[in-house]
Amino acid sequence: MSMLTRVLSRLVRRSLTRAMDKLGGKVVSGMADTSADAPSAGYAPKRDRYAQLLAEEEAARAAKAAARAAGPEAAHDHGHDHGHDHGHDHGR
């Protein structure tokens, strides 16, 4: 009888382990991108985000350098047809 109980408990344990492995695998794959391609992901992967950040920083540096090269007048030139006061008279 004890041998039958041992065999049955092993079978139950193995089947429970297999079921939990399958269920856990589905839960984990639904929660996170676990593969390189992730075709079923609910969001677009950000593989090139670092390159985008570098390009944005370079564009900001280039714009700053262009504004510096144009001189202080260009940096302050924002048109005189606006209807608000900056606290200075723009030479009027």
Side-chain angles (χ1 to χ4, degrees):
M1 185 73 170
S2 79
M3 186 171 200
L4 181 63
T5 305
R6 242 184 295 161
V7 169
L8 283 176
S9 68
R10 284 182 186 167
L11 284 174
V12 169
R13 195 176 315 137
R14 283 182 187 169
S15 63
L16 184 60
T17 301
R18 284 183 187 156
M20 292 302 280
D21 282 345
K22 285 185 181 185
L23 179 66
K26 288 184 182 195
V27 169
V28 169
S29 69
M31 287 174 24
D33 177 7
T34 57
S35 69
D37 294 328
S40 63
Y43 58 91
K46 297 181 180 178
R47 290 189 183 96
D48 62 342
R49 184 64 183 143
Y50 183 68
Q52 288 174 353
L53 287 173
L54 289 179
E56 289 170 5
E57 287 176 4
E58 183 60 34
R61 270 191 237 115
K64 197 181 248 186
R68 231 181 286 128
E73 300 85 26
H76 194 70
D77 183 26
H78 51 266
H80 296 284
D81 58 338
H82 55 339
H84 59 274
D85 184 24
H86 287 273
H88 50 269
D89 62 358
H90 292 280
R92 291 186 210 163

